[in-house]
Amino acid sequence: MASNSTANNMTVFTTSTLVTILDILLNRFVKHLPLIFIIFGLIGFLGNVLTYLQPELRSNTCCIYLLCGSIVDMMHLFINLLTIYLGGMYGIYIPWTRLPSLCKFQIFIFGFLPHLSINFLLMSIIDRYASTCSFTSSIRRINHLKMVPWVIGFSIFTSFLALTRPLIFYEYTNMFGCIASQSLTNNILYIVLNGLMQPITMFIFVVLTFRNVQQSRKRVAGIGTGTDVRRTRNQFIKMIFTQILATALISLQWMIMFALFSFLINNVHNFEQSFIIYFTLALTNYCYYLNNVKSFYISIFTSHHFRKVFIRAMIKLLPRYILQRWQTVEVNNFTLTAPKINQPNMTIK
């Protein structure tokens, strides 16, 4: 009996210690993640705008969709994540988030902006897929600049359709605030529409694009024409592939935790277990916002062409006297390293 009592006391002590540690992490670290993400997101947004508006890229349809996605990312971080941070840390709430009449709009905008951001990433991989198709394929029309407004409008429309769920299921109650009237149906639709459909669609186009690139390499083997164009195109494809993989992993960790929370929380009656679930849910939910932060940093590390354009754009922002000095150094270096042309000795008699 004494040994059983000792074991129980050790278990309670261990559990209480774990809850204390998680509580410290939650208040000192996890709750400050939104501010860190907002800062890095703002830096990445400025980098994307500076790069994608350069003459080399601003007429590229793929870059236009990525720029639109970056704009939506910034809107999501400032409208939604900053609101959560200010409310949770300082009790500062934007008025429209507290109005019962705007309950459905609040939930709608929380889901619409991240869905639209991923939608623009989806449009960019569809655009790259179209660029790898044969010249006679009708899908290559997507690469024309005149199609950009239609594609942007289509992305907004499909995101709106996917987020009609809050407009149907959510309502305001005096006791619990803005909640879903049919929580199970709402959660299933959220997992399917917001968590599964977009990553699955993107991976389908990733496979199709990879197949077209492999076939293209076989067709042009030994020809050697358009090498620079293909190299730039393939770098952007690699960059988008990496972004899609990161998006899928970030979304997957949140969707798994959300599904476990939705279906298992009612079966948990222990405070310690409930707190552990709450801590993990909060951490994975904040990490989900990495989807709106990562774009610039993945681009700068995976695409040499993007990195080169970004550096050139940064150099243009330097003061004029520093820019002139840098250009002079570059010219001198080129002169010193340029191969000398052997000319025949000509003697004038």
Side-chain angles (χ1 to χ4, degrees), residues 125-226:
I125 186 58
I126 293 176
D127 179 88
R128 291 301 85 191
Y129 164 71
S131 70
T132 61
C133 292
S134 63
F135 290 101
T136 57
S137 176
S138 59
I139 197 173
R140 287 187 70 96
R141 295 176 184 175
I142 297 177
N143 299 132
H144 298 165
L145 281 174
K146 64 181 180 181
M147 294 297 296
V148 169
W150 293 97
V151 174
I152 292 175
F154 177 77
S155 301
I156 296 174
F157 177 71
T158 53
S159 292
F160 176 82
L161 287 181
L163 267 297
T164 53
R165 170 184 52 82
L167 304 178
I168 297 173
F169 293 109
Y170 275 82
E171 58 184 20
Y172 186 85
T173 61
N174 293 327
M175 182 176 296
F176 300 105
C178 198
I179 60 172
S181 56
Q182 301 179 30
S183 59
L184 181 60
T185 304
N186 174 74
N187 292 343
I188 293 174
L189 288 176
Y190 174 74
I191 293 171
V192 173
L193 296 178
N194 294 64
L196 297 178
M197 285 190 64
Q198 287 177 310
I200 291 174
T201 306
M202 286 191 293
F203 273 115
I204 290 173
F205 278 99
V206 164
V207 173
L208 294 175
T209 305
F210 181 77
R211 185 198 63 180
N212 284 353
V213 169
Q214 293 297 106
Q215 293 177 350
S216 176
R217 287 177 179 175
K218 293 179 181 179
R219 287 197 301 266
V220 301
I223 297 178
T225 57

Side-chain angles (χ1 to χ4, degrees), residues 131-326:
S131 70
T132 61
C133 292
S134 63
F135 290 101
T136 57
S137 176
S138 59
I139 197 173
R140 287 187 70 96
R141 295 176 184 175
I142 297 177
N143 299 132
H144 298 165
L145 281 174
K146 64 181 180 181
M147 294 297 296
V148 169
W150 293 97
V151 174
I152 292 175
F154 177 77
S155 301
I156 296 174
F157 177 71
T158 53
S159 292
F160 176 82
L161 287 181
L163 267 297
T164 53
R165 170 184 52 82
L167 304 178
I168 297 173
F169 293 109
Y170 275 82
E171 58 184 20
Y172 186 85
T173 61
N174 293 327
M175 182 176 296
F176 300 105
C178 198
I179 60 172
S181 56
Q182 301 179 30
S183 59
L184 181 60
T185 304
N186 174 74
N187 292 343
I188 293 174
L189 288 176
Y190 174 74
I191 293 171
V192 173
L193 296 178
N194 294 64
L196 297 178
M197 285 190 64
Q198 287 177 310
I200 291 174
T201 306
M202 286 191 293
F203 273 115
I204 290 173
F205 278 99
V206 164
V207 173
L208 294 175
T209 305
F210 181 77
R211 185 198 63 180
N212 284 353
V213 169
Q214 293 297 106
Q215 293 177 350
S216 176
R217 287 177 179 175
K218 293 179 181 179
R219 287 197 301 266
V220 301
I223 297 178
T225 57
T227 304
D228 292 338
V229 175
R230 289 196 305 275
R231 184 181 295 114
T232 301
R233 182 198 66 185
N234 292 340
Q235 284 182 11
F236 272 101
I237 292 174
K238 176 185 175 182
M239 179 184 77
I240 296 172
F241 279 9
T242 309
Q243 294 214 26
I244 289 174
L245 178 61
T247 300
L249 293 176
I250 293 170
S251 300
L252 184 63
Q253 57 89 31
W254 162 241
M255 288 301 161
I256 291 175
M257 191 59 217
F258 179 80
L260 292 175
F261 175 80
S262 301
F263 301 124
L264 299 180
I265 191 61
N266 293 328
N267 298 324
V268 177
H269 304 288
N270 183 285
F271 170 75
E272 287 77 11
Q273 293 178 354
S274 300
F275 188 84
I276 292 172
I277 292 175
Y278 169 73
F279 172 84
T280 311
L281 185 73
L283 180 61
T284 54
N285 180 249
Y286 284 144
C287 290
Y288 185 62
Y289 285 90
L290 285 172
N291 273 336
N292 309 108
V293 178
K294 67 180 179 0
S295 174
F296 170 76
Y297 303 100
I298 290 179
S299 300
I300 204 74
F301 283 110
T302 58
S303 174
H304 173 72
H305 186 66
F306 181 94
R307 188 163 56 248
K308 183 170 65 175
V309 174
F310 172 72
I311 293 173
R312 287 177 182 174
M314 289 295 294
I315 290 172
K316 291 179 182 179
L317 298 179
L318 295 175
R320 181 173 297 180
Y321 71 94
I322 297 178
L323 180 60
Q324 290 176 348
R325 183 178 299 178
W326 180 84

